[in-house]
């Protein structure tokens, strides 16, 4: 009777699988591989969290990003349930429903990367807003939680995080200012295209110096009113002289272009987890390649990256469709199979069930 609306998946050193849910629970799954036809066993490890949308394991603890904080969960008495819920680092909230937080991803030095969704406007319900710091940003949190440095901005709905060759990447969900999904290499001080987070670039801690005013002097924000109502930009017909992201980069060097575009409606509509195939051939001939999930189309894409003169570029392929719900999170089992944590969370998905976990195996 577990409703497993998966928000994060982590593999423990002993092979058990940990899953957090958007309903605020964390389960530990024993025998997730269902060996010899025996069923798995679910244990409720933690509960009472606020829409946990990421999970990572480090040093005998699980870490998850809730709405307003990065939380450390520990079982100190060995009874199989968390008895420590420790705030590693907290950030502001406005209370808007769309202020999801994603992560963490753990860097080689043990520090954490977490991203924050934007809110939406009132009259302009489609327009992303950063109502409080650091919405629309990537936050880089020290391993001990003692400090946070704003890392980059330009994010709209940065659901998909990944560490590739020790460096941080993310993908966005298509929407205002983000015409399609894409995988970005997010260096410190990057701006990836959505202007909401520029509201905070005057802060002394901000590594991004581009301002909203500077950007809007070169790019029309398309805030047009007709018949007393704001017009959604995509409904402006026959627009002349649109500005493209690569053109803006020529004027503002902090602009980052995707290493790979994931064409909207073809390779996903709401891209999610980014992971590297580090199974040493257990999952097939894809070693070192990247897998990217998609929530809306309930599928996984495959990406091959290369680094040329310090910049990443690559190519993307459709890989595997037909999951029972939206693919939000992924992680490797010890046998080299892939666990996909699934949810549609009311957003809808090509897979018609609301949630679940599925396992993907290479068969040759």
């Amino acid at each position: 009777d577990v409703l497993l609306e998966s928000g994060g998946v982590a593999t423990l050193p002993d092979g058990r699988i940990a899953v957090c849910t958007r309903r605020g629970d964390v389960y530990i799954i024993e025998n997730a591989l269902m060996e010899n036809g025996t069923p798995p066993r679910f244990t409720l490890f933690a509960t009472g969290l606020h829409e946990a949308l990421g999970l990572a394991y480090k040093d005998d603890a699980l870490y998850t990003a809730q709405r307003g904080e990065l939380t450390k969960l520990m079982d100190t008495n060995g009874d199989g349930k968390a008895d420590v819920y420790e705030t590693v680092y907290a950030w502001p909230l406005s209370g808007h429903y769309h202020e999801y937080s994603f992560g963490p991803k753990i860097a080689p030095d043990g520090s954490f990367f977490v991203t924050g969704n934007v809110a939406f406007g009132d009259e302009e319900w489609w327009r992303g807003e950063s109502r409080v710091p650091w919405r629309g940003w990537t936050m880089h949190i020290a391993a001990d939680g003692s400090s946070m440095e704003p890392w980059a901005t330009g994010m709209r709905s940065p659901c998909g995080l990944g560490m590739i060759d020790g460096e941080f990447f993310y993908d966005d969900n298509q929407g205002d200012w983000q015409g399609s999904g894409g995988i970005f290499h997010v260096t410190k001080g990057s701006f990836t295209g959505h202007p909401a987070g520029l509201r905070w670039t005057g802060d002394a801690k901000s590594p991004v110096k581009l301002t909203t005013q500077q950007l809007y002097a070169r790019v029309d924000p398309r805030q047009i009113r007709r018949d007393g109502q704001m017009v959604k930009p995509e409904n402006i017909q026959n627009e002349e002289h649109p500005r493209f992201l690569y053109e803006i980069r020529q004027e503002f060097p902090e602009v980052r272009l995707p290493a790979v575009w994931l064409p909207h409606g073809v390779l996903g509509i709401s891209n999610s987890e980014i992971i590297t195939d580090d199974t040493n051939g257990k999952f097939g001939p894809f070693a070192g390649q990247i897998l990217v999930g998609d929530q809306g189309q309930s599928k996984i894409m495959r990406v091959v990256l290369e680094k040329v003169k310090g910049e990443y570029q690559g190519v993307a392929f459709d890989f595997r469709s037909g999951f029972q719900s939206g693919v939000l999170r992924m992680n490797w089992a010890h046998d080299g199979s892939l666990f996909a944590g699934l949810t549609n969370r009311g957003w809808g998905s090509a897979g018609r069930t609301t949630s679940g976990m599925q396992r993907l195996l290479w068969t040759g």
Side-chain angles (χ1 to χ4, degrees):
D1 296 321
V2 172
L3 187 61
L4 207 68
E5 296 185 72
S6 307
V9 180
T11 303
L12 305 183
D14 61 6
R16 293 178 299 162
I17 305 297
V19 183
C20 67
T21 76
R22 73 101 171 171
R23 291 174 176 256
D25 298 321
V26 179
Y27 290 94
I28 304 296
I29 309 175
E30 298 175 72
N31 190 34
L33 303 184
M34 297 183 288
E35 294 175 333
N36 301 317
T38 56
R41 177 180 174 83
F42 288 74
T43 300
L44 184 62
F45 180 75
T47 191
L49 305 174
H50 190 173
E51 200 148 35
L53 290 174
L55 197 63
Y57 176 86
K58 185 180 79 162
D59 299 335
D60 297 320
L62 287 167
Y63 293 82
T64 185
Q66 301 189 64
R67 278 292 179 114
E69 67 171 55
L70 176 63
T71 308
K72 180 180 182 179
L73 303 169
M74 294 187 69
D75 171 18
T76 61
N77 61 12
D79 68 352
K81 296 186 177 182
D83 47 60
V84 172
Y85 293 64
E86 178 183 330
T87 300
V88 179
Y89 187 84
W91 46 83
L93 291 171
S94 77
H96 190 276
Y97 86 94
H98 201 249
E99 288 181 340
Y100 311 117
S101 299
F102 304 107
K105 285 295 179 181
I106 300 175
D109 64 358
S111 60
F112 304 93
F113 284 98
V114 174
T115 57
N117 248 33
V118 298
F120 283 143
D122 295 324
E123 182 181 11
E124 296 176 278
W125 55 265
W126 56 83
R127 188 175 295 277
E129 296 180 355
S130 184
R131 297 184 178 183
V132 292
W134 296 88
R135 293 280 124 194
W137 283 74
T138 295
M139 294 176 280
H140 184 216
I141 300 169
D144 61 0
S146 60
S147 62
M148 184 281 289
E149 58 175 345
W151 186 259
T153 191
M155 293 85 192
R156 176 187 177 273
S157 187
C159 175
L161 314 183
M163 296 299 300
I164 301 174
D165 295 332
E167 299 187 70
F168 180 66
F169 286 71
Y170 101 105
D171 59 44
D172 219 319
N173 283 196
Q174 183 267 354
D176 67 310
W177 294 91
Q178 296 284 6
S180 185
I183 300 175
F184 292 80
H185 175 214
V186 187
T187 55
K188 187 176 180 179
S190 296
F191 172 66
T192 58
H194 196 291
L198 297 178
R199 178 178 179 183
W200 312 108
T201 57
D203 188 286
K205 295 193 297 183
S206 172
V208 183
K209 300 309 176 186
L210 177 65
T211 67
T212 306
Q213 293 74 22
Q214 288 173 320
L215 182 68
Y216 283 6
R218 306 302 299 160
V219 182
D220 182 1
R222 295 192 264 182
Q223 292 180 289
I224 296 173
R225 186 180 296 277
R226 288 177 184 161
D227 300 324
Q229 294 184 325
M230 298 300 294
V231 179
K232 195 175 183 181
E234 66 185 49
N235 294 330
I236 301 172
Q237 298 182 13
N238 302 320
E239 183 179 20
E240 295 182 358
H241 311 301
R243 302 299 307 277
F244 295 102
L245 194 61
Y246 76 90
E247 296 176 312
I248 300 305
R249 179 170 180 169
Q250 296 169 10
E251 301 180 49
F252 303 115
E254 54 267 70
V255 169
R256 297 291 293 178
L257 301 175
V260 175
W261 284 109
L262 300 171
H264 183 65
V266 179
L267 298 182
I269 59 174
S270 45
N271 304 140
S272 59
E273 188 86 49
I274 300 171
I275 62 170
T276 302
D277 181 355
D278 55 7
T279 66
N280 297 314
K282 293 180 181 179
F283 192 69
F286 310 113
Q289 298 183 26
I290 312 302
L291 298 181
V292 183
D294 190 76
Q295 188 275 324
Q297 291 192 328
S298 304
K299 67 180 183 178
I300 295 173
M301 286 73 67
R302 179 171 62 90
V303 174
V304 183
L305 290 178
E306 61 178 358
K307 198 171 187 179
V308 180
K309 297 181 180 179
E311 296 287 346
Y312 286 90
Q313 64 181 21
V315 61
F317 305 89
D318 218 341
F319 186 62
R320 187 65 168 88
S321 300
F323 290 89
Q324 69 185 32
S325 190
V327 178
L328 193 71
R329 297 290 177 243
M330 300 181 288
N331 211 345
W332 299 107
H334 283 185
D335 70 344
S337 60
L338 181 72
F339 277 103
L342 312 172
T343 182
N344 71 17
R345 198 208 164 277
W347 297 314
S349 63
R352 294 188 178 185
T353 59
T354 59
S355 60
M357 281 275 287
Q358 288 185 290
R359 179 172 166 233
L360 186 65
L361 299 93
W362 172 253
T363 63

